[in-house]
Amino acid sequence: RLDLGSEVKVEARTWTRRQGEGATWELWLAKGPLHDFAEWKEWGGDNHCLWNRCYPFPDWDLAGFFLRHRTPSSQCWRFEDAPYVVDSAEETRAQKAAWAPHVQIHTSQA
């Protein structure tokens, strides 16, 4: 939705796939913050909010997209789930130790 007299500069990129391999992919980049929606003027423009720009408009079919692309419930996160912790410290130490001789050789030759 654009307010009368406003303008949005958009760069669109497309990736066309061969016949029968699926739809053309598109990426639309809008330089923000956007100033096309009067409700956001006092905040200095908006942050590309989907709930104002796409969700309410049937032409975008955003709700339909989400309904067609669901994640199986077995793969969904739930509030009662324990937090998922990723600790790569040990792997990082091992990688640094493996590279240490190469780094020393390179820096001593410089």
Side-chain angles (χ1 to χ4, degrees), residues 102-110:
H102 304 286
V103 172
Q104 289 173 347
I105 291 169
H106 179 70
T107 54
S108 64
Q109 292 175 354

Side-chain angles (χ1 to χ4, degrees), residues 25-77:
W25 290 23
E26 294 183 351
L27 172 65
W28 290 49
L29 301 169
K31 186 171 172 88
L34 301 180
H35 298 281
D36 61 326
F37 192 24
E39 270 186 49
W40 294 94
K41 276 190 181 176
E42 65 189 54
W43 293 12
D46 81 358
N47 291 327
H48 309 71
C49 300
L50 283 176
W51 57 86
N52 278 327
R53 297 185 176 282
C54 300
Y55 193 70
F57 301 104
D59 295 347
W60 284 93
D61 191 33
L62 188 62
F65 173 84
F66 287 139
L67 289 170
R68 289 188 306 276
H69 297 87
R70 293 189 206 205
T71 300
S73 60
S74 62
Q75 296 177 7
C76 292
W77 176 83

